[in-house]
Amino acid sequence: MIGADIGDINVDGSPEIYVYIKAKDKGSLIAYSANKKKSLSDIYLPPITDDPSLQKAIEGMMNL
């Protein structure tokens, strides 16, 4: 893990957690959503390889 952020992108009053992971020359982003601040659920994120500009931005953040 190289970093994490907390946000409330869907503005429901419960935070989401975004975790940045770097392994060798590959980076990934995983996310969890707090369900009414009582439990966590995985957030589906499409592969960053589906969006070259997003992939470049994430890799830049991870210094890949």
Side-chain angles (χ1 to χ4, degrees), residues 7-24:
D8 187 12
I9 292 175
N10 62 355
V11 195
D12 67 352
S14 292
E16 296 91 34
I17 302 167
Y18 301 90
V19 181
Y20 306 95
I21 300 170
K22 180 179 173 182
K24 297 185 183 181

Side-chain angles (χ1 to χ4, degrees), residues 3-61:
D5 285 311
I6 297 173
D8 187 12
I9 292 175
N10 62 355
V11 195
D12 67 352
S14 292
E16 296 91 34
I17 302 167
Y18 301 90
V19 181
Y20 306 95
I21 300 170
K22 180 179 173 182
K24 297 185 183 181
D25 290 335
K26 183 178 180 182
S28 61
L29 172 64
I30 58 173
Y32 302 95
S33 179
N35 304 310
K36 298 184 181 179
K37 302 178 184 176
K38 295 185 180 194
S39 63
L40 293 175
S41 295
D42 293 339
I43 297 174
Y44 170 76
L45 299 171
I48 61 171
T49 53
D50 290 353
D51 183 339
S53 63
L54 178 60
Q55 181 177 5
K56 186 174 182 178
I58 297 282
E59 289 174 350
M61 289 174 48

